Amino acid sequence: MGHEYKITAKLTQKQRSEIAELLENNRYFYERDEKVVEFRHPENKGKMPNLYVGFEPDGLYVCQNGSSYLWTYLDDLKEYFEKEIVDFEIIDYSE
């Protein structure tokens, strides 16, 4: 099991679409379905991705399987929140 986080935020549909596009442009982007985006390093041949982000009604769920730092591989997402002045809170499920 990885390090799990919840980023609670009131996101508009436009912001959700922009975030999905931003995540898909990440160099470690691997696969996306309707609600989950997975990231995998090329050398990772295991069953678990390095990271995945799930879209939820009240924000984003993040599971870091290779790091305990929420923003690992998600610098663009953090910058997007700052640029768009998205009010968000982080819940660290390991605390």
Side-chain angles (χ1 to χ4, degrees):
M1 181 177 273
H3 297 275
E4 299 174 287
Y5 302 91
K6 173 72 170 230
I7 302 173
T8 59
K10 293 181 181 177
L11 300 170
T12 66
Q13 187 58 42
K14 180 179 184 252
Q15 287 172 321
R16 288 177 174 277
S17 295
E18 290 172 347
I19 289 169
E21 185 176 326
L22 180 79
L23 294 174
E24 288 176 5
N25 287 327
N26 184 300
R27 68 183 177 148
Y28 295 116
F29 169 76
Y30 176 68
E31 186 173 64
R32 179 172 192 261
D33 67 22
E34 188 175 305
K35 295 185 180 185
V36 177
V37 180
E38 292 185 359
F39 301 85
R40 182 181 300 274
H41 290 169
E43 66 274 3
N44 179 353
K45 306 295 184 204
K47 291 182 182 180
M48 297 295 293
N50 293 87
L51 158 72
Y52 63 89
V53 177
F55 288 86
E56 297 184 342
D58 59 347
L60 302 170
Y61 170 81
V62 177
C63 184
Q64 289 279 2
N65 292 314
S67 173
S68 61
Y69 179 60
L70 168 64
W71 301 110
T72 300
Y73 313 120
L74 295 175
D75 292 328
D76 291 343
L77 177 62
K78 186 177 180 183
E79 290 172 14
Y80 176 87
F81 282 158
E82 291 169 358
K83 180 181 132 208
E84 294 296 317
I85 312 172
V86 174
D87 187 30
F88 67 93
E89 291 185 31
I90 297 170
I91 300 168
D92 183 342
Y93 290 123
S94 65
E95 292 182 343

